[in-house]
Amino acid sequence: MRPAASLVGIGAAAALSAAGSLGGVSAFTSIGGASRTQYSIATTGGVVQRLPLHYAHGGDDIDLSTVPDVEITPEEREFFARTSALCSERNLPLAGVKNARDLATVSKSPVRPGRIYRTGRVSDASDDDIALLFDELGVRTLVDLRSPTELKDDPTLERDAVFKDFVSVVWNERGRGEEGKEVELPRGKPRIRTRVNEDGSPKPKMSRGERAREMLEGMRSDEGESEEEGEDPSAELHSSSAHDRRERHFVSIMNELKYVRGTLSKLKKRDIAKALIQSPPAIVSSRARARVKDVFLSEINGGGLPLLNELLLHYGAPGIRRVLELFADRSRHPIAFYCTAGKDRTGVIAAVLLSALGVPDENIVEDYSLSANVYAEMNDHKAMVGALSQRNLDAKTFLGAPPEVMRDTLEAIRDNYGSVEGYLDWIGFDEGCRERLRRALLEDDE
């Protein structure tokens, strides 16, 4: 069984999680419960296929044939045609890995070709994709931005055909302004494992009450992040040079819990209080719970991807800094970084990087917009739409990549931090770090 959240990227996944759990006062006593999908993983012509068998919510099967297509206006159809044409020019000719391109292809990008690539989930690579990425292009460092929840539910996470030559390195967050802890996993040891007690017995999953208390603590302080279920904290400190080997770095910069915390922190207290005052028996009244849930759904749908990006930049600051540090290490190039579809987290990091290197906003926005077609090209697109609609979430909002989202994101960086450089200073990536980044990405090899 695969949670739908693991297929749709952090934007839609977090929205699903929030909408599924934030219902009435139960919003403060539960988290999780995203729709679940059973998937058949098959390989056809060397290409990994993820075939949705059914969607279920509360035990009720959903007939995907009843899920309507997302309505597209003539203007949007023209936009998709334009971005599709640009994708055919710039994207790598990969069969299984979506949304992959060299950042050197961005208009007015000063990045030297072959240094850094943005992609979708690499574990879907076909045999030909593997040959192109690792043999022809020589990618030596992979940076996986997904959350532990997504990793845990990815059946191709340890796919030997793709990752057999890579050493896995896990970065664990310690809070903004603090150095994260990086650990190397012994070869053959999976990235995700079942949590165990000291005696070796499996630890029970966190209760809803425990998750709720953790979530509410996060509303009071966003510094640091507790270890997530499924992570493997037991490994030696990583200190080896990247010169002589290939590495896969796991740097989770955003997760569903952070999104819920951030969304709660954005809600006006008077809106929550009003709903509760109007509905004092909210714990037992389904109508009252629905009324309070509407407050959260309104914030999630209204905020959409700009809200996600704002929260990502704030709560994901330590991880973003670590990713930029990897980019600034020339010995690790060529690098490919990715999330699920290579749209939200990948898009924000690409935007921050390109802006820091002097690329004009309109060219950054154009590159982001090339991700507009990525979900429509996936074979489980209809299932994704169904999962979002099921939670009263707007599929077009969370599966798209409209230009205004990135415009708003870049504008928000300047409003909140003064400039992109101000944001980078805030996360601890100072001018000295930025100079190393420029040398790594802009200078020719000697």
Side-chain angles (χ1 to χ4, degrees):
M1 300 287 285
R2 283 183 61 106
S6 69
L7 293 164
V8 292
I10 198 67
L16 278 168
S17 179
S21 61
L22 299 180
V25 171
S26 63
F28 299 97
T29 59
S30 68
I31 181 172
S35 302
R36 299 186 69 83
T37 309
Q38 184 177 4
Y39 272 77
S40 169
I41 305 299
T43 302
T44 303
V47 179
V48 173
Q49 301 288 335
R50 300 163 186 263
L51 307 175
L53 302 182
H54 74 277
Y55 259 76
H57 177 214
D60 298 326
D61 289 344
I62 292 179
D63 182 358
L64 293 183
S65 66
T66 66
V67 177
D69 291 329
V70 176
E71 293 185 5
I72 299 176
T73 66
E75 293 79 11
E76 289 169 334
R77 195 175 302 280
E78 180 181 347
F79 165 72
F80 287 135
R82 187 167 62 252
T83 57
S84 180
L86 283 174
C87 284
S88 66
E89 296 174 8
R90 299 183 187 178
N91 282 4
L92 296 174
L94 301 174
V97 180
K98 306 297 183 183
N99 209 19
R101 53 191 172 274
D102 191 330
L103 288 189
T105 65
V106 178
S107 296
K108 299 186 180 179
S109 169
V111 177
R112 310 310 297 168
R115 300 285 171 89
I116 189 164
Y117 300 89
R118 57 174 297 171
T119 80
R121 184 174 46 217
V122 171
S123 59
D124 288 342
S126 69
D127 295 340
D128 288 341
D129 293 349
I130 294 170
L132 176 59
L133 287 170
F134 305 135
D135 297 333
E136 184 175 337
L137 299 179
V139 170
R140 62 185 298 111
T141 304
L142 299 173
V143 183
D144 193 325
L145 306 173
R146 292 177 295 169
S147 72
T149 299
E150 293 170 277
L151 298 176
K152 184 173 60 176
D153 294 310
D154 182 357
T156 61
L157 179 64
E158 306 295 343
R159 189 174 163 221
D160 192 63
V162 181
F163 304 115
K164 61 182 174 61
D165 295 328
F166 285 81
V167 174
S168 292
V169 180
V170 181
W171 177 85
N172 291 312
E173 181 176 334
R174 290 293 179 267
R176 187 177 68 83
E178 298 183 28
E179 293 294 330
K181 181 180 179 182
E182 197 167 65
V183 297
E184 177 181 324
L185 301 183
R187 285 190 180 274
K189 190 168 188 176
R191 163 66 182 88
I192 298 295
R193 69 170 189 174
T194 303
R195 294 174 57 182
V196 297
N197 297 308
E198 291 183 2
D199 62 1
S201 61
K203 280 187 177 181
K205 291 186 177 181
M206 291 176 66
S207 69
R208 289 183 173 182
E210 289 171 334
R211 287 186 181 274
R213 283 191 292 274
E214 186 174 312
M215 178 177 67
L216 292 173
E217 284 298 320
M219 293 174 64
R220 302 187 187 99
S221 171
D222 60 14
E223 298 298 327
E225 194 68 19
S226 62
E227 179 187 319
E228 295 206 39
E229 183 170 357
E231 291 195 36
D232 184 354
S234 61
E236 297 296 324
L237 278 172
H238 167 70
S239 59
S240 299
S241 168
H243 287 279
D244 57 353
R245 65 183 191 177
R246 290 177 171 176
E247 295 179 345
R248 176 166 60 147
H249 289 256
F250 293 95
V251 185
S252 172
I253 63 172
M254 193 66 174
N255 58 41
E256 295 79 5
L257 181 57
K258 284 182 178 180
Y259 183 78
V260 173
R261 287 176 173 175
T263 304
L264 284 171
S265 72
K266 289 288 183 180
L267 288 172
K268 296 178 181 178
K269 292 182 179 179
R270 65 173 180 270
D271 291 338
I272 300 174
K274 181 180 178 181
L276 292 175
I277 290 171
Q278 290 179 344
S279 312
I283 292 179
V284 295
S285 168
S286 59
R287 183 169 57 182
R289 286 198 300 270
R291 186 178 296 121
V292 179
K293 184 175 180 179
D294 285 344
V295 175
F296 295 98
L297 280 174
S298 177
E299 185 72 17
I300 293 168
N301 274 320
L305 291 177
L307 172 62
L308 168 74
N309 290 346
E310 180 183 347
L311 298 177
L312 192 159
L313 287 162
H314 182 85
Y315 289 91
I320 292 173
R321 181 182 69 178
R322 179 57 189 148
V323 172
L324 293 175
E325 289 170 349
L326 292 172
F327 292 171
D329 185 347
R330 183 69 181 91
S331 72
R332 300 184 186 279
H333 295 181
I335 294 177
F337 67 107
Y338 59 95
C339 47
T340 296
K343 181 175 78 74
D344 298 321
R345 288 157 292 188
T346 302
V348 166
I349 288 181
V352 170
L353 172 65
L354 292 168
S355 185
L357 297 177
V359 177
D361 283 7
E362 60 266 27
N363 304 114
I364 296 172
V365 169
E366 180 185 67
D367 179 66
Y368 171 77
S369 299
L370 300 191
S371 298
N373 295 325
V374 62
Y375 280 118
E377 294 171 355
M378 291 183 173
N379 56 21
D380 40 25
H381 172 71
K382 196 111 175 179
M384 299 174 193
V385 174
L388 289 163
S389 300
Q390 186 181 55
R391 300 292 194 187
N392 295 319
L393 294 167
D394 182 7
K396 186 184 293 187
T397 294
F398 290 99
L399 298 182
E404 58 268 21
V405 168
M406 186 50 66
R407 290 195 192 100
D408 289 348
T409 298
L410 293 169
E411 183 177 343
I413 291 175
R414 297 186 179 102
D415 288 344
N416 294 330
Y417 306 97
S419 63
V420 170
E421 291 74 19
Y423 171 72
L424 293 174
D425 285 337
W426 182 77
I427 69 175
F429 197 75
D430 59 21
E431 178 55 31
C433 297
R434 298 196 288 274
E435 178 57 30
R436 287 193 294 275
L437 180 70
R438 287 190 288 268
R439 286 199 303 267
L441 295 179
L442 308 185
E443 294 183 0
D444 291 325
D445 290 327
E446 296 181 356

